[in-house]
Amino acid sequence: HLRDGSETQRYTAAPVPYLCPDMKKGLASDTEGAFRAIGTEPFWALIIGAAGLRFMTPDDQAGIRWPAISPSSQGDTLHWSGRTERAALDARIWAAPCSDGMSDRVWPYTAVVRVDTLTHHGCAESRGWALVGPAIEGSWQVAGQRAPGVSAMSAEDAKKWAGRKARFSRAAARFGDQECPAPAYEGDRLSAEAFAREYRVSPGQLGLQPPIQAIDVRCAEDWSGPGGRLFVKGPDELLAPWDGVFLELRRE
């Protein structure tokens, strides 16, 4: 059932690697999207951003488009509703772990999208600042470092990061001497298994509880140091992995 109680048909969501090539090309062209919701059986994708909303299927690569719609909110659910000559749209996204059924990835959001009379269930991720911002916005300082596994950085070099400043906002991201104007932020959630496979350490060794909230900071220019990926450990604590070391950031 939808959150509004209406009857629906259930679909399994899938991550981008399982989408057909034409669908992936279409998704890549909508980099301005603040949210991306996707699913399979049949394949579909919805991109939500400042330029509007776009619903795509393999048979309709151009997609159905709606002008930008400001979502309403009810509890933890964001709701978009609109109509054009082609179709009516009702889309709902809320923060709840979502399994795509085809990998061990845990998506951070669940989505229900209704186009005319057909309802699609799937998973979603944040492509913008709106939902990841509260977790990282503001000024931070490196307060320590942890290297529970194999590290390419020496303990002496790791200690040199102590006291370095970082700041994240919608307009810019800064870590130490590096600055990224107009960054793009992407939110994700990782299972304990996915985290351990990528970093060769247990999240418990770092005080992280699954599903683990990860935030990627995308910059048009090369970002050659820590800060490109952040893990939210608590309201005032972040971890920034770099060369096998996890720098501990505390909110100032």
Side-chain angles (χ1 to χ4, degrees), residues 142-147 155 157-162 245-248:
V142 177
Q145 62 280 323
R146 303 181 70 175
D157 286 341
K159 291 179 181 178
K160 293 178 182 179
W161 285 96
V245 173
F246 290 83
L247 301 177
E248 299 176 311

Side-chain angles (χ1 to χ4, degrees), residues 11-15 18 40-41 98-105 107 123:
Y11 295 91
T12 302
Y18 293 97
T40 64
E41 302 178 8
C98 181
S99 173
D100 56 53
M102 299 179 71
S103 74
D104 58 6
R105 177 181 180 182
W107 293 71
C123 298

Side-chain angles (χ1 to χ4, degrees), residues 26-27 30 32-37 44-56 60-72 78-84 86-93 111-115:
L27 287 172
D30 282 286
E32 81 282 359
F35 281 96
R36 177 180 64 181
W44 62 271
L46 176 69
I47 303 297
I48 303 173
L53 295 85
R54 180 187 183 195
F55 181 84
M56 301 163 53
D60 185 3
Q61 294 300 305
I64 304 173
R65 294 179 180 269
W66 294 265
I69 302 169
S70 296
S72 61
L78 293 176
H79 179 210
W80 293 262
S81 180
R83 179 183 294 272
T84 65
R86 287 197 61 185
L89 172 74
D90 187 284
R92 299 167 191 264
I93 295 177
V112 174
V113 177
R114 186 168 66 234
V115 179

Side-chain angles (χ1 to χ4, degrees), residues 6-247:
S6 59
E7 294 291 334
T8 66
Q9 183 175 356
R10 180 163 294 280
Y11 295 91
T12 302
V16 170
Y18 293 97
L19 294 176
C20 65
D22 288 339
M23 286 281 285
K24 286 191 280 187
K25 290 179 183 177
L27 287 172
S29 69
D30 282 286
T31 55
E32 81 282 359
F35 281 96
R36 177 180 64 181
I38 56 178
T40 64
E41 302 178 8
F43 290 108
W44 62 271
L46 176 69
I47 303 297
I48 303 173
L53 295 85
R54 180 187 183 195
F55 181 84
M56 301 163 53
T57 66
D59 295 330
D60 185 3
Q61 294 300 305
I64 304 173
R65 294 179 180 269
W66 294 265
I69 302 169
S70 296
S72 61
S73 61
Q74 182 176 3
D76 62 350
T77 302
L78 293 176
H79 179 210
W80 293 262
S81 180
R83 179 183 294 272
T84 65
E85 293 181 355
R86 287 197 61 185
L89 172 74
D90 187 284
R92 299 167 191 264
I93 295 177
W94 62 95
C98 181
S99 173
D100 56 53
M102 299 179 71
S103 74
D104 58 6
R105 177 181 180 182
V106 180
W107 293 71
Y109 303 101
T110 296
V112 174
V113 177
R114 186 168 66 234
V115 179
D116 282 339
T117 60
L118 185 60
T119 299
H120 307 267
H121 283 246
C123 298
E125 64 180 354
S126 169
R127 306 282 293 181
W129 178 256
L131 291 184
V132 304
I136 64 172
E137 184 174 21
S139 298
W140 301 79
Q141 184 175 25
V142 177
Q145 62 280 323
R146 303 181 70 175
V150 177
S151 172
M153 187 187 304
S154 68
E156 182 178 347
D157 286 341
K159 291 179 181 178
K160 293 178 182 179
W161 285 96
R164 297 281 186 93
K165 304 283 188 175
R167 182 171 179 80
F168 302 98
S169 70
R170 185 191 298 270
R174 176 186 288 274
F175 199 114
D177 296 330
Q178 296 189 111
E179 184 169 5
C180 174
Y185 296 93
E186 297 184 13
D188 198 358
R189 289 183 185 268
L190 301 180
S191 66
E193 294 76 13
F195 184 92
R197 184 167 54 252
E198 183 172 355
Y199 293 99
R200 300 294 189 267
V201 296
S202 165
Q205 293 176 268
L206 297 164
L208 294 171
Q209 298 296 322
I212 302 155
Q213 184 179 2
I215 299 173
D216 291 318
V217 183
R218 309 292 189 189
C219 188
E221 302 177 357
D222 289 338
W223 186 282
S224 58
R229 165 161 276 205
L230 303 166
F231 293 107
V232 180
K233 187 176 179 180
D236 300 308
E237 295 181 274
L238 299 174
L239 293 178
W242 185 248
D243 283 348
V245 173
F246 290 83
L247 301 177

